[in-house]
Amino acid sequence: MSGSYWDDFEEYQQEEYPISDFVEELADRTESAFGDIGDDYFPAYLGIDNAVKLYSLIRHKKPEIVVETGVCNGMSSAVILKALKDNERGRLYSVDLPVEAGTIEDRKGAVIPPGKSSGWLVTEDLKDIWELNLGNTFYELSKVFEEVGEIDMFIHDSGHAYEIMMFEFGIAWYHLREGGSLLADNTDKNLAFKDFARAKERQVYRMNKLAIMER
Ligand SMILES: C[S@@+](CC[C@H](N)C(=O)[O-])C[C@H]1O[C@@H](n2cnc3c(N)ncnc32)[C@H](O)[C@@H]1O
């Protein structure tokens, strides 16, 4: 295991509007929306450092087709879309089964504020290269892959149960081109990413809880 893989990517900072400012603005918009509904609920978005690294990775790799699971408020989707826009190529296909705060008893994290919809952080200027599919990845992912065929990058951040992760990695791997990237957040929750990498004889590179292996 090594963090050096991630260190190889420069933070594609832009002079006129640095990407870290873009990410912090997303975080601020999220925090103020959650401020309105009290301390009980939290958004569970990709951390600021991870978001900046994810942006840099996409700028560097220039993927054409990216599939992600787990949108929630839309921090990761907005960052991926911004990177694809700045690359002037690529489309994002997302799958999410959002939960509105207060609608499921005891569910406090990874929720959207009442009245908001999945991916509400994503601004209009980024939406023309985005397809958002609402539903359980168990049903929706196969439809997405049927539509797009081969993909360049897959990012898991939906439910972090071992079975869900293994299911998503399996179907994504089948559609991932050779040299493509498989990523997952919250890989500390269980051994799914490690087990999958071992089965495929791939090296895992971690940065905090975000991990990547290459096909
Ligand atoms: C951790 S949040 C995603 C955070 C997002 N990637 C970000 O950076 O802001 C997880 C999201 O996945 C959704 N989810 C959980 N299990 C799912 C499943 N089996 N299928 C689709 N979405 C799921 C949750 O309801 C939530 O909207």
Side-chain angles (χ1 to χ4, degrees):
M1 310 284 172
S2 143
S4 63
Y5 178 97
W6 291 100
D7 297 338
D8 290 344
F9 301 114
E10 293 291 317
E11 291 181 11
Y12 285 69
Q13 289 287 3
Q14 294 153 335
E15 272 178 24
E16 71 283 10
Y17 187 37
I19 191 60
S20 49
D21 288 3
F22 175 84
V23 173
E24 270 168 33
E25 192 189 304
L26 292 171
D28 286 349
R29 288 174 56 210
T30 309
E31 298 304 338
S32 55
F34 275 77
D36 293 344
I37 58 171
D39 295 338
D40 274 355
Y41 299 100
F42 59 96
Y45 55 76
L46 200 68
I48 288 180
D49 289 352
N50 284 356
V52 171
K53 281 286 182 192
L54 180 60
Y55 173 87
S56 305
L57 178 79
I58 294 173
R59 292 301 313 277
H60 184 78
K61 296 239 171 205
K62 302 200 175 1
E64 193 63 54
I65 303 290
V66 181
V67 175
E68 77 159 341
T69 65
V71 174
C72 206
N73 298 281
M75 161 76 90
S76 54
S77 310
V79 167
I80 297 164
L81 288 165
K82 172 87 172 101
L84 296 176
K85 277 274 174 191
D86 291 342
N87 283 345
E88 298 182 4
R89 60 179 287 192
R91 285 185 69 78
L92 172 65
Y93 297 79
S94 305
V95 179
D96 190 40
L97 186 59
V99 172
E100 202 175 292
T103 57
I104 295 182
E105 201 180 349
D106 293 336
R107 172 82 174 247
K108 304 296 179 198
V111 293
I112 53 176
K116 300 275 194 200
S117 54
S118 174
W120 62 271
L121 279 172
V122 177
T123 48
E124 286 302 320
D125 57 314
L126 298 175
K127 285 187 180 168
D128 60 321
I129 55 167
W130 190 33
E131 185 181 301
L132 173 58
N133 302 271
L134 296 181
N136 195 312
T137 59
F138 188 71
Y139 302 107
E140 296 301 319
L141 264 185
S142 54
K143 295 186 212 163
V144 170
F145 287 124
E146 202 170 304
E147 183 184 341
V148 301
E150 196 173 64
I151 68 167
D152 303 293
M153 187 175 281
F154 179 82
I155 303 162
H156 158 88
D157 194 18
S158 65
H160 300 306
Y162 185 91
E163 295 74 17
I164 295 176
M165 293 174 81
M166 287 305 238
F167 162 73
E168 292 190 10
F169 299 160
I171 190 170
W173 194 259
Y174 184 78
H175 291 89
L176 196 60
R177 73 163 168 79
E178 214 168 297
S181 310
L182 180 82
L183 291 97
D185 195 21
N186 295 107
T187 53
D188 59 325
K189 297 269 185 197
N190 56 51
L191 292 176
F193 202 82
K194 193 174 172 190
D195 286 353
F196 192 82
R198 186 178 295 147
K200 300 296 179 194
E201 300 181 341
R202 291 300 191 277
Q203 184 162 2
V204 172
Y205 304 96
R206 291 179 196 278
M207 203 207 44
N208 305 322
K209 297 166 187 171
L210 185 64
I212 185 170
M213 71 180 91
E214 289 184 343
R215 175 94 159 85

Tab-separated table of all heavy atoms in Angstrom, residues 163-185:
chain	number	residue	atom	x	y	z
A	163	GLU	N	-21.304	-6.508	0.522
A	163	GLU	CA	-21.963	-7.135	-0.635
A	163	GLU	C	-22.236	-6.111	-1.736
A	163	GLU	O	-22.110	-6.414	-2.921
A	163	GLU	CB	-23.297	-7.781	-0.214
A	163	GLU	CG	-23.169	-8.947	0.758
A	163	GLU	CD	-22.810	-8.514	2.178
A	163	GLU	OE1	-22.969	-7.319	2.512
A	163	GLU	OE2	-22.349	-9.383	2.946
A	164	ILE	N	-22.655	-4.898	-1.338
A	164	ILE	CA	-22.930	-3.857	-2.344
A	164	ILE	C	-21.631	-3.488	-3.064
A	164	ILE	O	-21.578	-3.382	-4.294
A	164	ILE	CB	-23.538	-2.581	-1.693
A	164	ILE	CG1	-24.904	-2.884	-1.087
A	164	ILE	CG2	-23.663	-1.449	-2.715
A	164	ILE	CD1	-25.540	-1.702	-0.345
A	165	MET	N	-20.570	-3.323	-2.289
A	165	MET	CA	-19.289	-2.935	-2.893
A	165	MET	C	-18.798	-4.012	-3.846
A	165	MET	O	-18.396	-3.722	-4.983
A	165	MET	CB	-18.255	-2.644	-1.794
A	165	MET	CG	-18.629	-1.400	-0.976
A	165	MET	SD	-17.544	-1.085	0.434
A	165	MET	CE	-16.146	-0.293	-0.322
A	166	MET	N	-18.854	-5.277	-3.426
A	166	MET	CA	-18.378	-6.359	-4.294
A	166	MET	C	-19.231	-6.462	-5.560
A	166	MET	O	-18.705	-6.698	-6.649
A	166	MET	CB	-18.375	-7.688	-3.541
A	166	MET	CG	-17.275	-7.787	-2.518
A	166	MET	SD	-15.619	-7.496	-3.231
A	166	MET	CE	-14.774	-8.986	-2.837
A	167	PHE	N	-20.528	-6.269	-5.404
A	167	PHE	CA	-21.403	-6.302	-6.585
A	167	PHE	C	-21.003	-5.199	-7.570
A	167	PHE	O	-20.819	-5.437	-8.765
A	167	PHE	CB	-22.878	-6.122	-6.166
A	167	PHE	CG	-23.752	-5.725	-7.313
A	167	PHE	CD1	-24.093	-6.645	-8.295
A	167	PHE	CD2	-24.194	-4.410	-7.447
A	167	PHE	CE1	-24.869	-6.257	-9.393
A	167	PHE	CE2	-24.960	-4.017	-8.533
A	167	PHE	CZ	-25.302	-4.946	-9.511
A	168	GLU	N	-20.842	-3.987	-7.057
A	168	GLU	CA	-20.505	-2.849	-7.934
A	168	GLU	C	-19.117	-3.032	-8.572
A	168	GLU	O	-18.943	-2.763	-9.763
A	168	GLU	CB	-20.566	-1.529	-7.148
A	168	GLU	CG	-21.981	-1.159	-6.742
A	168	GLU	CD	-22.084	0.261	-6.190
A	168	GLU	OE1	-21.120	1.027	-6.278
A	168	GLU	OE2	-23.156	0.584	-5.646
A	169	PHE	N	-18.141	-3.478	-7.785
A	169	PHE	CA	-16.796	-3.660	-8.343
A	169	PHE	C	-16.825	-4.716	-9.459
A	169	PHE	O	-16.181	-4.545	-10.494
A	169	PHE	CB	-15.803	-4.120	-7.262
A	169	PHE	CG	-15.618	-3.144	-6.122
A	169	PHE	CD1	-15.099	-3.557	-4.906
A	169	PHE	CD2	-15.950	-1.800	-6.270
A	169	PHE	CE1	-14.903	-2.671	-3.860
A	169	PHE	CE2	-15.770	-0.894	-5.226
A	169	PHE	CZ	-15.255	-1.339	-4.024
A	170	GLY	N	-17.583	-5.779	-9.226
A	170	GLY	CA	-17.632	-6.871	-10.210
A	170	GLY	C	-18.196	-6.417	-11.541
A	170	GLY	O	-17.598	-6.638	-12.604
A	171	ILE	N	-19.322	-5.742	-11.507
A	171	ILE	CA	-19.964	-5.316	-12.755
A	171	ILE	C	-19.152	-4.200	-13.410
A	171	ILE	O	-19.018	-4.136	-14.634
A	171	ILE	CB	-21.460	-4.931	-12.522
A	171	ILE	CG1	-22.166	-4.737	-13.865
A	171	ILE	CG2	-21.644	-3.737	-11.647
A	171	ILE	CD1	-23.678	-4.587	-13.751
A	172	ALA	N	-18.559	-3.334	-12.592
A	172	ALA	CA	-17.758	-2.242	-13.150
A	172	ALA	C	-16.497	-2.788	-13.819
A	172	ALA	O	-16.120	-2.355	-14.909
A	172	ALA	CB	-17.382	-1.249	-12.047
A	173	TRP	N	-15.864	-3.736	-13.163
A	173	TRP	CA	-14.605	-4.305	-13.695
A	173	TRP	C	-14.839	-4.910	-15.081
A	173	TRP	O	-14.024	-4.776	-15.981
A	173	TRP	CB	-14.100	-5.383	-12.727
A	173	TRP	CG	-12.683	-5.808	-12.956
A	173	TRP	CD1	-12.242	-6.939	-13.596
A	173	TRP	CD2	-11.495	-5.117	-12.529
A	173	TRP	NE1	-10.881	-6.997	-13.594
A	173	TRP	CE2	-10.389	-5.896	-12.943
A	173	TRP	CE3	-11.261	-3.924	-11.844
A	173	TRP	CZ2	-9.065	-5.509	-12.693
A	173	TRP	CZ3	-9.946	-3.544	-11.592
A	173	TRP	CH2	-8.874	-4.324	-12.016
A	174	TYR	N	-15.960	-5.561	-15.224
A	174	TYR	CA	-16.305	-6.212	-16.490
A	174	TYR	C	-16.394	-5.185	-17.624
A	174	TYR	O	-16.087	-5.482	-18.776
A	174	TYR	CB	-17.649	-6.948	-16.312
A	174	TYR	CG	-18.064	-7.739	-17.511
A	174	TYR	CD1	-17.492	-8.990	-17.777
A	174	TYR	CD2	-19.017	-7.241	-18.398
A	174	TYR	CE1	-17.861	-9.716	-18.889
A	174	TYR	CE2	-19.392	-7.959	-19.519
A	174	TYR	CZ	-18.807	-9.194	-19.754
A	174	TYR	OH	-19.169	-9.907	-20.865
A	175	HIS	N	-16.818	-3.957	-17.288
A	175	HIS	CA	-17.001	-2.919	-18.317
A	175	HIS	C	-15.857	-1.917	-18.388
A	175	HIS	O	-15.860	-1.018	-19.232
A	175	HIS	CB	-18.324	-2.171	-18.075
A	175	HIS	CG	-19.508	-3.038	-18.328
A	175	HIS	ND1	-20.076	-3.823	-17.365
A	175	HIS	CD2	-20.201	-3.288	-19.472
A	175	HIS	CE1	-21.084	-4.501	-17.879
A	175	HIS	NE2	-21.182	-4.201	-19.151
A	176	LEU	N	-14.901	-2.064	-17.475
A	176	LEU	CA	-13.788	-1.112	-17.415
A	176	LEU	C	-12.733	-1.495	-18.454
A	176	LEU	O	-12.355	-2.660	-18.544
A	176	LEU	CB	-13.180	-1.173	-16.006
A	176	LEU	CG	-12.263	-0.077	-15.520
A	176	LEU	CD1	-12.961	1.283	-15.514
A	176	LEU	CD2	-11.780	-0.414	-14.093
A	177	ARG	N	-12.278	-0.503	-19.220
A	177	ARG	CA	-11.254	-0.829	-20.229
A	177	ARG	C	-9.927	-1.135	-19.533
A	177	ARG	O	-9.702	-0.708	-18.387
A	177	ARG	CB	-11.097	0.332	-21.216
A	177	ARG	CG	-10.391	1.523	-20.643
A	177	ARG	CD	-9.884	2.466	-21.713
A	177	ARG	NE	-9.480	3.718	-21.130
A	177	ARG	CZ	-8.317	3.923	-20.504
A	177	ARG	NH1	-7.446	2.927	-20.382
A	177	ARG	NH2	-8.022	5.099	-20.000
A	178	GLU	N	-9.075	-1.855	-20.254
A	178	GLU	CA	-7.746	-2.131	-19.716
A	178	GLU	C	-7.027	-0.805	-19.457
A	178	GLU	O	-7.062	0.091	-20.325
A	178	GLU	CB	-6.951	-2.948	-20.728
A	178	GLU	CG	-6.020	-3.926	-20.081
A	178	GLU	CD	-5.473	-4.918	-21.082
A	178	GLU	OE1	-6.286	-5.674	-21.653
A	178	GLU	OE2	-4.261	-4.892	-21.275
A	179	GLY	N	-6.461	-0.631	-18.286
A	179	GLY	CA	-5.802	0.628	-17.937
A	179	GLY	C	-6.739	1.632	-17.283
A	179	GLY	O	-6.312	2.685	-16.835
A	180	GLY	N	-8.044	1.307	-17.279
A	180	GLY	CA	-9.029	2.182	-16.634
A	180	GLY	C	-8.891	2.127	-15.104
A	180	GLY	O	-8.157	1.301	-14.561
A	181	SER	N	-9.602	3.028	-14.427
A	181	SER	CA	-9.427	3.164	-12.976
A	181	SER	C	-10.697	2.791	-12.209
A	181	SER	O	-11.795	3.207	-12.587
A	181	SER	CB	-9.097	4.622	-12.624
A	181	SER	OG	-8.053	5.097	-13.430
A	182	LEU	N	-10.515	2.039	-11.139
A	182	LEU	CA	-11.615	1.683	-10.234
A	182	LEU	C	-11.325	2.340	-8.894
A	182	LEU	O	-10.289	2.074	-8.278
A	182	LEU	CB	-11.692	0.166	-10.068
A	182	LEU	CG	-12.786	-0.349	-9.145
A	182	LEU	CD1	-14.118	-0.421	-9.892
A	182	LEU	CD2	-12.451	-1.727	-8.607
A	183	LEU	N	-12.238	3.216	-8.459
A	183	LEU	CA	-12.039	3.936	-7.199
A	183	LEU	C	-13.181	3.646	-6.234
A	183	LEU	O	-14.314	3.378	-6.662
A	183	LEU	CB	-12.010	5.447	-7.424
A	183	LEU	CG	-10.826	6.038	-8.165
A	183	LEU	CD1	-11.180	6.232	-9.620
A	183	LEU	CD2	-10.415	7.361	-7.558
A	184	ALA	N	-12.894	3.787	-4.952
A	184	ALA	CA	-13.947	3.698	-3.934
A	184	ALA	C	-13.584	4.589	-2.765
A	184	ALA	O	-12.402	4.690	-2.394
A	184	ALA	CB	-14.121	2.264	-3.458
A	185	ASP	N	-14.617	5.242	-2.210
A	185	ASP	CA	-14.406	6.011	-0.983
A	185	ASP	C	-14.797	5.127	0.205
A	185	ASP	O	-15.466	4.100	0.030
A	185	ASP	CB	-15.257	7.298	-1.013
A	185	ASP	CG	-14.795	8.301	0.056
A	185	ASP	OD1	-13.643	8.197	0.519
A	185	ASP	OD2	-15.585	9.185	0.420
